[in-house]
């Protein structure tokens, strides 16, 4: 698997970064960032030099609105709709065809447009399938980890960040450059006030990521969700302080991430 992948983090710990799924950013906002995670099919990035750009890629789900949907519609690796996201379908990551489509077509298309790496979302679909139906989906977590390793082998030059999916991370941490964590200190729904997650859960996940960072030297990016009117609340301030104390890089954003939040909270 090439242990050299994990010898040093190629992704510096960012001081100002954003996870932004909107379509437009001003030149000033663009220049203020060291790193941006964005939707390559949505963001019209300024032409000037700017931050390190990571393309959002949903590895565990296929969306009907994506340009490559005609290539996956009706395939047997589409298992079920995601009831929380209209138009999204959970995918069996054990499928060689799906994995090849991402590695050989979808991700290269983003790289060809100037994106310098990827943020892999929805890899936790593998854990969901293997835990909810182990007899039907054995080996899903290992298949997801294998996908990350295969992506690194196919594109050794790119930056790879994984969102959550801790069981996958355990098996493929040498192939990635950093981790994104959601819902660690705050948890939000689009139309409700944000709340703290259960203390035991937050403490367990925080300790896991602190050990990962200490072991690998790779950055941990934390999205602290907040409603637009809550971004300077005590909950957010406490969450930012806790993230920084743990050595993580926080970003404060709204539940949909469609507007730029606090890039240096």
């Amino acid at each position: 698997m090439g242990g050299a992948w994990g010898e040093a983090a190629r992704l510096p710990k960012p001081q100002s970064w954003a996870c932004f799924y909107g379509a437009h950013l001003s030149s000033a906002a663009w220049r203020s960032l060291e790193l941006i995670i964005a939707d390559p099919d949505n963001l019209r990035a300024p032409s000037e030099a700017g931050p390190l750009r990571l393309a959002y890629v949903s590895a565990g789900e296929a969306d009907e609105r994506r340009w490559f949907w005609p290539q996956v519609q009706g395939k047997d690796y589409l298992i079920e709709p995601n009831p929380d996201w209209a138009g999204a379908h959970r995918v069996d990551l054990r499928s060689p065809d799906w994995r090849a489509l991402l590695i050989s077509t979808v991700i290269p298309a983003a790289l060809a447009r100037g994106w310098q790496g990827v943020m892999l979302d929805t890899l936790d679909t593998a854990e969901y399938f293997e835990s909810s139906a182990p007899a039907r989906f054995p080996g899903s977590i290992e298949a997801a980890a294998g996908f990350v390793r295969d992506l690194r082998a196919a594109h050794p030059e790119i930056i790879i960040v994984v969102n959550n999916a801790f069981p996958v991370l355990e098996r493929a941490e040498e192939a990635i450059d950093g981790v994104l964590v959601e819902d660690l200190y705050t948890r939000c729904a689009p139309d409700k006030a944000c709340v703290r997650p259960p203390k035991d859960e937050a403490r367990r996940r925080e300790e896991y990521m602190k050990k990962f960072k200490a072991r690998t030297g790779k950055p941990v990016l934390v999205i602290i969700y907040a409603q637009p009117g809550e971004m300077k609340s005590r909950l957010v301030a406490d969450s930012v302080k806790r993230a920084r104390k743990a050595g993580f890089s926080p970003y404060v954003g709204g539940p949909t991430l469609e507007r730029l939040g606090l890039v240096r909270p």
Side-chain angles (χ1 to χ4, degrees):
M1 290 187 295
W5 293 343
E7 288 179 359
R10 298 180 303 164
L11 175 63
K13 178 183 176 182
Q15 299 301 316
S16 60
W17 72 279
C19 188
F20 173 72
Y21 298 147
H24 301 281
L25 273 180
S26 69
S27 293
W30 184 250
R31 292 193 303 269
S32 74
L33 297 169
E34 298 172 9
L35 167 71
I36 187 168
I37 297 168
D39 187 335
D41 298 333
N42 196 34
L43 177 64
R44 298 178 183 176
S47 58
E48 61 198 276
L52 178 68
R53 287 169 281 177
L54 302 185
Y56 173 93
V57 174
S58 182
E61 294 182 357
D63 195 302
E64 296 173 10
R65 292 157 291 196
R66 294 295 176 181
W67 59 268
F68 54 88
W69 175 250
Q71 299 179 56
V72 305
Q73 187 174 13
K75 299 293 187 181
D76 57 6
Y77 53 71
L78 299 178
I79 304 301
E80 64 185 26
N82 181 342
D84 297 323
W85 294 98
H89 301 258
R90 292 175 176 138
V91 171
D92 186 350
L93 271 155
R94 298 174 303 171
S95 167
D97 291 344
W98 169 250
R99 290 158 58 176
L101 177 68
L102 293 179
I103 292 174
S104 301
T105 301
V106 174
I107 292 172
L111 299 176
R113 299 201 302 272
W115 296 83
Q116 296 152 295
V118 293
M119 188 279 283
L120 300 176
D121 196 21
T122 66
L123 282 171
D124 48 9
T125 298
E127 181 184 11
Y128 163 76
F129 281 146
E130 190 164 338
S131 62
S132 62
R136 184 182 176 191
F137 297 105
S140 291
I141 295 172
E142 179 53 37
F147 161 73
V148 178
R149 296 193 294 265
D150 291 346
L151 175 61
R152 170 58 70 207
H155 301 283
E157 77 286 359
I158 70 172
I159 300 295
I160 300 175
V161 169
V162 170
N163 183 18
N164 291 327
F166 292 170
V168 175
L169 175 63
E170 291 173 357
R171 294 166 170 81
E173 68 178 31
E174 76 282 3
I176 69 167
D177 298 290
V179 180
L180 176 69
V181 185
E182 297 178 284
D183 301 328
L184 180 58
Y185 300 120
T186 63
R187 185 169 292 168
C188 301
D191 57 348
K192 296 181 180 178
C194 300
V195 298
R196 298 181 190 273
K199 287 184 179 180
D200 290 346
E201 175 189 325
R203 187 179 301 111
R204 173 180 55 81
R205 297 179 74 216
E206 183 184 61
E207 286 301 315
Y208 182 94
M209 294 318 307
K210 286 167 69 175
K211 290 178 181 178
F212 165 83
K213 187 176 183 300
R215 183 172 64 251
T216 67
K218 299 175 182 179
V220 176
L221 313 175
V222 178
I223 299 178
I224 298 171
Y225 285 110
Q227 298 294 354
E230 299 176 329
M231 290 197 176
K232 295 188 177 181
S233 67
R234 181 172 180 178
L235 172 60
V236 169
D238 289 348
S239 299
V240 168
K241 182 178 180 180
R242 186 169 174 181
R244 292 201 181 282
K245 183 178 180 181
F248 306 155
S249 297
Y251 167 72
V252 181
T256 64
L257 299 173
E258 292 176 345
R259 295 183 178 182
L260 191 65
L262 304 181
V263 304
R264 196 187 289 263

